[in-house]
């Protein structure tokens, strides 16, 4: 085994509600805590299980304080010292930066990897091979992104351009990153797809913890100072006092802006292409597609299947109540029935669920969020 692999310490930022999956996903039951693929596991559980074998079970989870009990129930083997609870949302740079600083304080030579809690990935073995290449590449002094091969000219993701091999023996697919590109318009996305030189930026990256902190200090010195103060106190009795005092003062910014893009400008970023299927399960159309690919059935039913009467329909139905749902003669529908809210839409309009959430907020119906 390459010695770099023994230094790998993955972390899982588990945040965000997933507003396009409302009313199934709520503030108290966000997307990462749900089983959206009818596998019997939540997305968080599956993410943890992909990463734990690569690090001898040492995985850190960063999540909101309100989710502590749910995360503990889903991951009973997670050590309390490896669960970082955010008192309030602060965006990805604070969450990932703090976890990185805590790991670095414990193991200065650690290589960290950040992987969102709410992605669907298969096959697991291929994912683990790619991550291992990323770890070996990171050990050469790089922030390594994992690029996803585009399947369509999507405008929903940022893109990475990387074309030159780094010629690393045990990481033959590693490429030097030329540039990060923000979410493009449709024509630009189509040009990227046609060129074959771009991959989707799925927000997965691997890097020496020390290098991450170095870039964070250079680009976000206030944020860096705050997370280092918290990290220094983390394994001491003053952890809670320091966290409560310092966390609210941290600036909000995304890790891409704070580290990845400046690091790319400095020539410190590499990319390993992800030779596995990946989906961020962003809306009910994606949930339906993933389940149909797995089952081969035109109708996906999540929840109590005995409560659904389907007469010639396709799409997805989520049943969370004692009501019987009967659907007749409609193609590609979305029906989500919860105790206090009902959603009905065509799959083609699944992205617009966020507009319904915006109206719920505008009407002050916070109990539905």
């Amino acid at each position: 085994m390459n010695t770099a692999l023994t230094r790998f310490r993955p972390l899982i930022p588990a945040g965000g509600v997933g507003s396009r999956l409302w009313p199934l996903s709520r503030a108290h039951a966000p997307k990462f805590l749900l089983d959206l693929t009818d596998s019997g596991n939540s997305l968080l559980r599956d993410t943890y299980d992909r990463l734990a074998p690569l690090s001898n079970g040492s995985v850190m989870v960063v999540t909101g304080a309100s989710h502590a009990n749910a995360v503990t129930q889903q991951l009973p083997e997670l050590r309390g010292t490896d669960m970082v609870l955010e008192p309030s949302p602060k965006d990805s740079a604070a969450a990932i930066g703090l976890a990185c600083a805590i790991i670095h304080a414990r193991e200065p030579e650690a290589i960290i990897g950040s992987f969102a809690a709410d992605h669907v990935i298969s096959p697991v073995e291929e994912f683990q091979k790619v991550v291992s290449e990323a770890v070996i590449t990171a050990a050469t002094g790089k922030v390594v992104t994992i690029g996803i091969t585009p399947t369509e000219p999507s405008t929903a993701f940022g893109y990475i351009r990387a074309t030159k091999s780094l010629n690393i023996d045990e990481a033959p697919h590693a490429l030097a990153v030329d540039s990060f590109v923000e979410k493009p318009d449709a024509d630009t996305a189509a040009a990227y797809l046609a060129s074959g030189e771009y991959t989707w930026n799925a927000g997965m990256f691997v890097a020496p913890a020390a290098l991450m902190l170095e870039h964070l200090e250079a680009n976000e010195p206030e944020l860096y100072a705050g997370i280092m103060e918290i990290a220094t106190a983390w394994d001491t009795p003053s952890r809670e006092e320091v966290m409560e005092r310092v966390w609210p003062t941290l600036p909000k910014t995304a890790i891409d802006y704070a580290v990845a893009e400046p690091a790319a400008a400095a020539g410190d970023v590499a990319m390993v292409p992800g030779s596995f299927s990946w989906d961020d399960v962003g809306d009910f159309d994606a949930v339906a597609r993933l389940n149909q690919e797995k089952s081969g059935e035109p109708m996906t039913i999540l929840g109590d299947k005995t409560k659904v009467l389907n007469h010639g329909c396709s799409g997805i139905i989520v049943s969370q109540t004692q009501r019987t749902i009967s659907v007749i003669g409609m193609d590609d529908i979305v029906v989500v029935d919860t105790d206090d809210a009902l959603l009905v839409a065509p799959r083609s309009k699944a992205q617009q669920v966020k507009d319904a959430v915006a109206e719920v907020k505008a009407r002050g119906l916070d109990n539905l969020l």
Side-chain angles (χ1 to χ4, degrees), residues 129-195:
K129 287 180 187 176
V130 170
V131 173
S132 295
E133 272 203 47
V135 173
I136 292 166
T137 305
T140 68
K142 297 288 186 182
V143 176
V144 185
T145 61
I146 295 177
I148 303 299
T149 302
T151 55
E152 59 181 344
S154 174
T155 61
F157 307 116
Y159 285 71
I160 304 165
R161 184 176 187 272
T163 57
K164 183 180 177 182
S165 174
L166 289 173
N167 298 313
I168 299 171
D169 287 343
E170 294 180 81
H173 302 99
L175 304 172
V177 167
D178 300 321
S179 60
F180 285 96
V181 184
E182 292 302 306
K183 296 174 183 178
D185 59 33
D187 290 344
T188 304
Y192 289 165
L193 184 66
S195 76

Side-chain angles (χ1 to χ4, degrees), residues 174-299:
L175 304 172
V177 167
D178 300 321
S179 60
F180 285 96
V181 184
E182 292 302 306
K183 296 174 183 178
D185 59 33
D187 290 344
T188 304
Y192 289 165
L193 184 66
S195 76
E197 295 182 350
Y198 292 82
T199 55
W200 284 336
N201 180 8
M204 295 182 276
F205 60 86
V206 178
L211 180 61
M212 287 288 295
L213 295 172
E214 179 183 314
H215 282 290
L216 199 58
E217 182 179 21
N219 298 295
E220 292 286 342
E222 182 183 353
L223 178 60
Y224 171 82
I227 64 169
M228 292 305 288
E229 184 176 356
I230 297 171
T232 300
W234 191 257
D235 290 323
T236 76
S238 61
R239 176 206 298 186
E240 191 170 331
E241 180 274 320
V242 175
M243 183 71 156
E244 290 180 0
R245 174 171 51 81
V246 177
W247 184 263
T249 71
L250 299 181
K252 286 186 178 183
T253 188
I255 197 71
D256 281 356
Y257 300 132
V259 173
E261 291 178 12
D268 282 348
V269 179
M271 187 273 286
V272 175
S275 52
F276 48 80
S277 68
W278 169 89
D279 203 298
D280 71 342
V281 207
D283 58 28
F284 285 110
D285 180 55
V287 178
R289 174 172 43 76
L290 285 169
N291 282 279
Q292 287 175 4
E293 288 172 356
K294 185 170 69 171
S295 70
E297 298 294 327
M299 175 63 81

Side-chain angles (χ1 to χ4, degrees), residues 54-181:
L54 296 174
S55 60
N56 198 27
S58 177
V59 180
M60 182 171 282
V61 176
V62 188
T63 193
S66 62
H67 304 313
N69 289 339
V71 169
T72 299
Q73 288 173 4
Q74 293 197 5
L75 305 175
E77 65 271 58
L78 183 68
R79 297 180 301 180
T81 52
D82 285 339
M83 184 162 62
V84 178
L85 300 178
E86 301 175 288
S88 59
K90 280 289 181 181
D91 214 331
S92 58
I96 295 169
L98 176 57
C100 181
I102 293 168
I103 292 169
H104 180 260
R106 294 172 178 169
E107 301 178 73
E109 299 301 315
I111 295 172
I112 64 100
S114 178
F115 302 88
D118 55 2
H119 294 172
V120 173
I121 289 171
S122 67
V124 170
E125 296 77 16
E126 197 61 37
F127 168 80
Q128 291 170 338
K129 287 180 187 176
V130 170
V131 173
S132 295
E133 272 203 47
V135 173
I136 292 166
T137 305
T140 68
K142 297 288 186 182
V143 176
V144 185
T145 61
I146 295 177
I148 303 299
T149 302
T151 55
E152 59 181 344
S154 174
T155 61
F157 307 116
Y159 285 71
I160 304 165
R161 184 176 187 272
T163 57
K164 183 180 177 182
S165 174
L166 289 173
N167 298 313
I168 299 171
D169 287 343
E170 294 180 81
H173 302 99
L175 304 172
V177 167
D178 300 321
S179 60
F180 285 96
V181 184

Side-chain angles (χ1 to χ4, degrees), residues 24 159 175 188 321 337 366:
L24 182 61
Y159 285 71
L175 304 172
T188 304
T321 73
D337 188 28
D366 293 349

